[in-house]
Amino acid sequence: MRRIAVSGAVVLGLVACSGDNSSVTEFENPPHEVVSIYDLGKCTDSRRGEVIFVEEDEEEYLCYSGKWIPESEWGASRKNGSSSSEKAKSSSSVKSGSSSSKDKSSSSADSSSAKSSSGKAPDSSSVESSSSNPSGNENEFVDSRDGTSYKITKIGSQTWFAENVRYKGDDVTVYCHSDKSENCDKYAMLYGWDDAKKACPPGSHLPTIEELRELMDFVGEDSSAVVLMADTGWTRDDGFLGTDEYGFAMLPGSYKAGKKSYGSSLGWSAQMWTASDSAGLVFAAYFGWNLPYISIGAYDLADGWGMSVRCITGEPKPSSSSSAKSSSSSVKSSSSSAKSSSSSAKSSSSSVKSSSSSAKSSSSSVKSSSSSVKSSSSEKSSWKFLNPSISYGEMIDNRDGQVYKTVVIDNHTWMAENLNFETANSYCYNDTAKYCATYGRMYTWSAAQNACPEGWHLPSYDEVYILTGPDLSGYTRTADQLRSKVGWIPLNGDDTPGLDTYGFSASPGGRRISSGQYDALGTEVGYWFYIESSDYIIYDWVMEFHQDDRYSMLKRENEGWAYSIRCIKNDN
């Protein structure tokens, strides 16, 4: 229910409590409304106090201190009162080769107004003293090892480097993208993870995944990449462009994978290490032209990854298990190759056996004959993605009589097309039935756990590892060998066409985000799977394929987002 009549009073109350001497008057016109948060525009000083109703969230948003604050957080986000100071232009010039290409100030919000990941104002003890900064300048940090000066920016209760690290001491190995020194001059160095942990100067450290999540929560998770990306230097203009609202100024330095292989996305993506690892995989953040949010992925060190380093000042906070599920947010991620023998050496608890899988689907009350193989006399539109040179099997879902093609890959039987069984919290792309017929339905995490028919289950991490890792001959599969040969829309000259070598025939059905928007049809597809820890907590992950990336990607995903499903047959 909209409450426009009281929104102006709420704004006045917030200002009165903040201790700000500036006045805010009642609106001459009632607050207008927009469809989604992406239509709000930038919260500038001239719009301070403006309230807009967002239809998709069914909630009003307040422009305050440079940030759109949802009505549900109006009380918490200004707790204890604070000034409404915004970013000021820095008087210092940007040094040559700096990854920060603007004269933004190091501070976008003072410490009293900063909220932690719990939504509460930080305790004063958590705010770093300037005495820990060797430079003595509150806007810069000097590396005592080599004298390099880095711009810093205060974001909430954290102080981050506002440019990538450039340390190249004898104790680390560094890389310049494409082995060209000018890329180090522009974007700074790329480091392997072990060296990344040594790269941050004394008095700072490589951020943990918890510290990264706190940053995302403070700036707003759904637009976290956009507001932290530099507002210049990104060479693609057909996606999400940076606004650099907090002076973080992330530039698109791409990545290294393998001994001499560099990502083709120089100029339109950046990868940044964290200090957290789990089950043989290391967590890192992805910023890219194609996503408005920061994506956190799990990377296999055996693949020779090299990424940028951003340091955070002070001592790291005590870290819980890196893979522990956040109660406040579901972490998005965009890229990770999970192909490692060490990764597969997980405890037996990581693999959910067929007995537990069938228990999940027991609620569907499906008869045991649901996996019986039958022929279908009619062609489905989804079968256009199949590889005509592969001999497929079939199964019938007795819940609705639909026939699905199946394929055996390394002794596991997979559905060779996306599931299209209708449940609560499942969707057709753009809410249009024809897309379900072609690409199957998309499911939220809660719906996905019980969507597969009896005798089949949502795949586990170990089963996904077998699919995306080495085959029985020891040859590692690439993502293009699992993508369908048709249906993928090329975006640039680096596109890798689907080869569909094994008949998995991944088709690009896109996704649905929690606000109800759909995107990536023809260019991406993600499939839910799960990782189960030793304490039997199921984590929601997605195996994702992109039209221009040869690497399959494993990522932690937002439970409210909707993705496709490929069921795998229970072991007999």
Side-chain angles (χ1 to χ4, degrees), residues 72-95:
S72 57
E73 298 180 12
W74 285 357
S77 61
R78 306 303 299 174
K79 186 176 181 180
N80 295 335
S82 65
S83 70
S84 59
S85 60
E86 305 292 337
K87 298 191 294 291
K89 295 288 183 181
S90 170
S91 59
S92 61
S93 61
V94 180
K95 67 178 188 295

Side-chain angles (χ1 to χ4, degrees), residues 239-565:
F240 297 95
L241 298 179
T243 59
D244 199 22
E245 295 179 24
Y246 296 87
F248 195 81
M250 177 57 74
L251 283 175
S254 191
Y255 62 91
K256 169 185 170 290
K259 292 183 178 180
K260 287 289 183 179
S261 177
Y262 293 91
S264 62
S265 56
L266 186 68
W268 43 278
S269 83
Q271 275 84 351
M272 182 185 88
W273 287 118
T274 77
S276 301
D277 65 317
S278 179
L281 301 175
V282 177
F283 294 98
Y286 167 90
F287 297 74
W289 67 279
N290 59 327
L291 297 174
Y293 54 83
I294 295 174
S295 303
I296 298 179
Y299 293 75
D300 180 359
L301 297 183
D303 290 328
W305 291 99
M307 301 186 189
S308 301
V309 168
R310 279 297 180 100
C311 305
I312 184 171
T313 62
E315 295 299 319
K317 294 181 179 180
S319 176
S320 59
S321 170
S322 299
S323 62
K325 184 174 180 181
S326 167
S327 60
S328 61
S329 67
S330 300
V331 178
K332 305 178 182 69
S333 64
S334 79
S335 73
S336 80
S337 165
K339 305 181 283 285
S340 165
S341 57
S342 63
S343 301
S344 62
K346 294 166 66 72
S347 65
S348 59
S349 63
S350 299
S351 175
V352 178
K353 303 305 179 184
S354 60
S355 59
S356 62
S357 301
S358 59
K360 286 183 186 179
S361 60
S362 61
S363 62
S364 60
S365 303
V366 185
K367 303 301 180 182
S368 61
S369 61
S370 64
S371 61
S372 61
V373 177
K374 294 184 181 181
S375 295
S376 171
S377 59
S378 60
E379 289 288 321
K380 295 169 60 180
S381 58
S382 58
W383 291 354
K384 69 180 181 181
F385 300 115
L386 301 175
N387 185 342
S389 65
I390 297 292
S391 178
Y392 292 95
E394 290 183 356
M395 62 84 64
I396 293 180
D397 186 343
N398 282 357
R399 296 172 297 184
D400 57 10
Q402 290 198 68
V403 178
Y404 294 92
K405 296 294 186 181
T406 64
V407 64
V408 178
I409 303 176
D410 286 350
N411 299 324
H412 289 278
T413 302
W414 290 83
M415 285 186 177
E417 53 187 300
N418 301 343
L419 186 68
N420 188 27
F421 177 69
E422 184 173 0
T423 69
N425 298 315
S426 68
Y427 307 91
C428 299
Y429 193 91
N430 276 350
D431 300 319
T432 305
K434 69 176 182 179
Y435 292 112
C436 275
T438 302
Y439 298 100
R441 300 187 73 86
M442 292 178 285
Y443 303 79
T444 64
W445 172 243
S446 62
Q449 295 178 69
N450 297 305
C452 290
E454 185 179 4
W456 296 73
H457 61 274
L458 204 63
S460 68
Y461 168 80
D462 287 354
E463 290 164 332
V464 166
Y465 169 79
I466 292 172
L467 178 69
T468 60
D471 63 18
L472 295 179
S473 66
Y475 180 79
T476 299
R477 297 184 185 93
T478 55
D480 53 310
Q481 292 175 313
L482 297 172
R483 292 192 289 113
S484 60
K485 291 184 176 183
V486 299
W488 294 82
I489 302 172
L491 292 180
N492 57 65
D494 297 320
D495 291 331
T496 303
L499 301 176
D500 204 15
T501 309
Y502 300 90
F504 187 78
S505 306
S507 56
R511 61 174 165 250
R512 178 187 187 271
I513 65 175
S514 53
S515 64
Q517 292 177 300
Y518 295 88
D519 67 349
L521 185 72
T523 62
E524 297 179 21
V525 65
Y527 297 107
W528 287 114
F529 71 95
Y530 60 87
I531 296 177
E532 190 171 37
S533 72
S534 57
D535 57 359
Y536 300 103
I537 298 174
I538 294 177
Y539 301 132
D540 41 325
W541 284 67
V542 166
M543 170 178 57
E544 190 167 83
F545 300 93
H546 293 239
Q547 93 295 340
D548 58 353
D549 201 326
R550 297 184 71 245
Y551 292 92
S552 55
M553 304 173 186
L554 307 186
K555 63 177 195 171
R556 183 77 183 281
E557 195 48 277
N558 187 313
E559 293 183 3
W561 288 37
Y563 282 93
S564 301
I565 288 178

